[in-house]
């Protein structure tokens, strides 16, 4: 994945030859891979887009503008049977008047309460109430975040927020309501790029192709770490000894294998379901990119109009495909193959055994029904491709105990076992879990191993993300 490839590119750039990159999958990508359905529709493992906090990352991926589609983010929240521009908390002017009043009253109460608070918020739910008030909390923030994280907001901490969640400026919100003015453009991904061909996975396959191929081993699934003998055990029977290990294995798994079950049990994660639907016809959603769904009339929390990102995310219009079903579940009137054009939707559904179980048997059809409920699909739309994949480790949850575990576990693994546990699940920090962050976690781990330099992204995520600033010091060279 991005972290392992980041470390490998850095070792290679520094002409350090004693390294080996091992991955359980058939090809590079990790959680940033792309699957292709038998009918030729592409789907990523979630709503991945490329934006960056690092020059190194930009230079690593830079292979000419002709390979990239550049999009302006067009994103909405669907609720109250209407689209509200994202971020929701800046655009309550789009709500019915009574809801506007509830939100404004809550914001005013929150501003007063926050000004007199004597201690920081104890959890994410308290943060929501202090920053946005009860109106926005009950209407959007609580239900939406439960759908994303599959855990109640009072069981989450709030040190991860940074640029991940827009705060609410009371004066601006009130002015927007009075002027009936919508506001967008917040956040680091207001403009993003996406590969013209091959989905997000193509990015990392190209990065892997830049490396010495004899140093890459795929189809190697780790089943255990013998830390005493510094040996990795693999499902195929292979064993590999290491001197120092950059591991992107989920930290909870690593700790369990090393006999640290008590630490592992204090970490929380959710699983993700990626559901892709290929449809015959023309995309009716204009330039919309991704959409948020806080209400309970659909199982998904986010939908991406994936065909909008790149023409080659769907089959060419002259490709003939049979209709699998109508959106309303009816059988098609004919089983004959017909040409396109085609478009596609990609849905994300969270799961946790304790708080938000999912019925695997009905999830896909429930998702399609939810797409009709939310006007993403018409009942008579022809579905020509259906995709579903479950990611057991989907989101690393910023739970209340997370930071305490990381403060103990990460230094322990490094000092006692020579293991640098890094990456989206290796270091369990969602706030530095985007593709650029994940890649640079690997790069900075390599530098720490080689030179002892500080791993800035891992230990200073708030500064890493601050104000959209970019790290321009570290450079990538292809020579």
């Amino acid at each position: 994945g991005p972290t392992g490839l980041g470390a490998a590119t850095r070792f290679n750039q520094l002409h350090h030859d004693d390294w080996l990159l091992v991955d359980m999958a058939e090809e590079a990508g990790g959680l940033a891979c792309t699957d292709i359905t038998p009918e030729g529709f592409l789907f990523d493992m979630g709503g991945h887009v490329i934006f960056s906090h690092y020059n190194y990352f930009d230079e690593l991926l830079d292979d000419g503008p002709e390979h990239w589609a550049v999009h302006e983010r067009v994103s909405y929240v669907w609720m109250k049977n209407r689209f509200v521009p994202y971020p929701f908390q800046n655009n309550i002017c789009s709500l019915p008047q009574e809801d506007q009043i509830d939100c404004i009253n809550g914001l005013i109460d929150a501003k007063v309460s926050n000004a007199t608070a004597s201690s920081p918020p104890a959890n994410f739910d308290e943060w929501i109430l202090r920053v946005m008030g009860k109106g926005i909390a009950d209407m959007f923030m609580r239900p939406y975040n439960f759908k994303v994280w599959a855990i109640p907001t009072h069981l989450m901490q709030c040190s991860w927020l940074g640029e991940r969640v827009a705060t609410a400026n009371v004066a601006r919100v009130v002015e927007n309501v009075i002027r009936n003015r919508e506001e967008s453009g917040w956040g680091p991904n207001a403009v993003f790029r996406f590969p013209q061909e091959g989905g997000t996975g193509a990015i990392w396959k190209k990065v892997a192709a830049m490396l010495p191929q004899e140093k890459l081993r795929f189809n190697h699934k780790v089943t255990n770490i013998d830390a005493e003998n510094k040996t990795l055990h693999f499902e195929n029977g292979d064993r590999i000894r290491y001197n120092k290990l950059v591991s992107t294995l989920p930290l909870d798994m690593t700790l369990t294998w090393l006999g640290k079950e008590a630490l592992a049990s204090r970490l929380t994660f959710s699983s993700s379901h990626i559901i892709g639907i290929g449809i015959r016809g023309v995309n009716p959603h204009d330039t919309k990119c991704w959409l948020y769904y806080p209400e309970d009339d659909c199982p998904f929390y986010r939908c991406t109009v994936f065909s909008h990102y790149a023409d080659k995310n769907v089959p060419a219009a002259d490709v003939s495909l049979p209709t699998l079903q109508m959106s309303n579940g009816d059988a098609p009137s004919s089983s004959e193959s017909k040409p396109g054009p085609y478009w596609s939707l990609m849905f994300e559904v969270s799961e946790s055994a304790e708080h938000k179980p999912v019925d695997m048997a009905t999830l896909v059809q429930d998702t399609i029904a939810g797409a009709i409920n939310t006007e993403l699909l018409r009942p008579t739309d022809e579905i020509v491709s259906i995709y579903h994949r479950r990611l057991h480790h989907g989101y690393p949850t910023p739970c209340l105990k997370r930071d305490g575990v990381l403060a103990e576990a990460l230094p322990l693994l490094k000092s006692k076992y020579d293991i640098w546990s890094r990456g989206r699940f290796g270091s369990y920090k969602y706030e530095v879990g985007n593709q650029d962050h994940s890649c640079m976690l690997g790069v900075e781990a390599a530098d720490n191993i080689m030179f002892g330099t500080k791993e800035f992204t891992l230990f200073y995520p708030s500064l890493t993300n601050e104000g959209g600033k970019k790290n321009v010091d570290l450079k990538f060279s292809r020579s």
Side-chain angles (χ1 to χ4, degrees):
T3 303
L5 289 166
T9 61
R10 188 60 170 164
F11 285 133
N12 197 51
Q13 181 189 25
L14 297 171
H15 304 292
H16 178 75
D17 295 326
D18 187 15
W19 60 270
L20 183 69
L21 181 61
V22 184
D23 198 289
M24 67 179 289
E26 295 180 355
E27 56 187 6
L31 288 174
C33 70
T34 301
D35 282 348
I36 305 176
T37 70
E39 297 82 14
F41 288 82
L42 276 64
F43 294 107
D44 281 356
M45 299 303 103
H48 302 311
V49 297
I50 294 296
F51 56 97
S52 170
H53 299 83
Y54 310 87
N55 269 13
Y56 185 104
F57 181 79
D58 295 338
E59 293 164 358
L60 178 65
L61 270 56
D62 190 12
D63 54 359
E66 71 276 8
H67 297 288
W68 297 94
V70 178
H71 297 285
E72 179 180 349
R73 182 193 67 215
V74 180
S75 187
Y76 291 87
V77 177
W78 175 263
M79 63 184 305
K80 308 284 183 177
N81 293 313
R82 68 188 68 196
F83 282 117
V84 178
Y86 171 88
F88 172 86
Q89 47 269 41
N90 291 348
N91 291 289
I92 62 174
C93 60
S94 300
L95 295 171
Q97 189 176 70
E98 289 303 313
D99 292 324
Q100 293 180 23
I101 293 170
D102 286 344
C103 290
I104 291 173
N105 285 339
L107 280 165
I108 293 170
D109 290 343
K111 190 172 181 68
V112 173
S113 175
N114 199 34
T116 58
S118 59
S119 60
N123 55 56
F124 185 29
D125 197 72
E126 285 191 13
W127 183 92
I128 293 169
L129 290 171
R130 286 198 194 180
V131 173
M132 301 182 193
K134 191 174 186 301
I136 292 175
D138 290 342
M139 201 173 302
F140 176 68
M141 291 296 289
R142 281 169 169 161
Y144 177 71
N145 278 285
F146 180 73
K147 287 184 80 172
V148 172
W149 295 102
I151 188 174
T153 49
H154 71 272
L155 297 179
M156 297 173 63
Q157 47 126 311
C158 49
S159 67
W160 61 277
L161 293 165
E163 64 178 15
R164 292 289 190 167
V165 179
T167 56
N169 182 310
V170 180
R172 180 179 295 176
V173 170
V174 173
E175 181 181 351
N176 287 348
V177 169
I178 293 173
R179 297 182 184 276
N180 194 29
R181 179 181 64 196
E182 294 180 345
E183 182 178 301
S184 59
W186 176 87
N189 57 8
V191 176
F192 64 92
R193 56 179 178 159
F194 194 86
Q196 294 276 20
E197 186 172 0
T200 296
I203 299 169
W204 301 105
K205 285 190 276 189
K206 287 181 180 178
V207 172
M210 295 161 50
L211 297 166
Q213 297 303 291
E214 69 275 10
K215 293 186 175 296
L216 310 183
R217 293 192 188 177
F218 295 104
N219 292 309
H220 274 64
K221 182 179 180 179
V222 178
T223 56
N224 197 19
I225 300 174
D226 179 355
E228 183 177 344
N229 296 301
K230 290 190 173 182
T231 302
L232 298 175
H233 293 247
F234 295 91
E235 191 175 59
N236 62 6
D238 285 356
R239 297 184 180 186
I240 297 177
R241 287 181 57 83
Y242 63 86
N243 180 26
K244 299 184 186 298
L245 176 66
V246 179
S247 171
T248 64
L249 289 162
L251 179 59
D252 52 290
M253 290 175 56
T254 301
L255 291 171
T256 299
W257 285 342
L258 298 181
K260 308 295 182 183
E261 292 90 348
L263 272 178
S265 67
R266 289 157 55 193
L267 292 170
T268 304
F269 67 91
S270 62
S271 301
S272 295
H273 294 263
I274 311 301
I275 296 125
I277 305 297
I279 309 106
R280 194 190 322 276
V282 177
N283 169 25
H285 300 297
D286 301 316
T287 59
K288 291 184 178 71
C289 298
W290 62 86
L291 308 162
Y292 301 98
Y293 294 86
E295 296 177 328
D296 59 6
D297 55 354
C298 62
F300 46 88
Y301 62 85
R302 182 165 58 187
C303 175
T304 300
V305 187
F306 204 59
S307 53
H308 172 61
Y309 285 6
D311 291 341
K312 291 187 177 180
N313 283 350
V314 298
D318 60 359
V319 172
S320 292
L321 295 171
T323 301
L324 301 180
Q325 68 170 78
M326 310 304 289
S327 292
N328 64 5
D330 289 349
S333 59
S334 170
S335 60
E336 293 183 6
S337 295
K338 297 184 295 183
Y342 303 102
W343 61 288
S344 63
L345 295 171
M346 181 179 67
F347 305 89
E348 296 166 78
V349 179
S350 67
E351 174 193 352
S352 68
E354 183 176 359
H355 301 287
K356 191 174 176 289
V358 165
D359 187 342
M360 289 278 287
T362 64
L363 181 58
V364 169
Q365 292 304 320
D366 289 345
T367 296
I368 295 172
I372 295 174
N373 294 341
T374 55
E375 300 184 12
L376 286 164
L377 290 174
R378 297 179 295 264
T380 55
D381 280 331
E382 298 180 41
I383 294 175
V384 298
S385 185
I386 297 175
Y387 169 86
H388 178 204
R389 180 170 173 178
R390 180 182 183 272
L391 306 172
H392 181 66
H393 279 83
Y395 273 57
T397 308
C399 64
L400 295 173
K401 298 178 180 179
R402 184 200 70 171
D403 288 355
V405 174
L406 298 184
E408 182 177 350
L410 297 183
L412 172 69
L413 292 177
K414 178 181 170 182
S415 63
K416 185 173 181 179
Y417 302 108
D418 280 325
I419 296 174
W420 279 251
S421 187
R422 303 292 184 263
R424 182 178 176 91
F425 273 99
S427 43
Y428 249 82
K429 289 192 176 182
Y430 171 78
E431 57 268 39
V432 283
N434 285 339
Q435 292 178 80
D436 62 329
H437 298 126
S438 296
C439 176
M440 295 307 295
L441 286 170
V443 171
E444 293 174 9
D447 279 355
N448 183 260
I449 290 170
M450 295 285 290
F451 311 117
T453 52
K454 193 74 172 178
E455 296 175 80
F456 191 81
T457 300
L458 177 64
F459 293 108
Y460 303 101
S462 295
L463 293 176
T464 296
N465 295 326
E466 184 180 23
K469 293 179 181 177
K470 184 165 286 193
N471 182 324
V472 298
D473 297 325
L474 200 58
K475 307 288 185 182
F476 173 75
S477 171
R478 294 174 186 266
S479 61

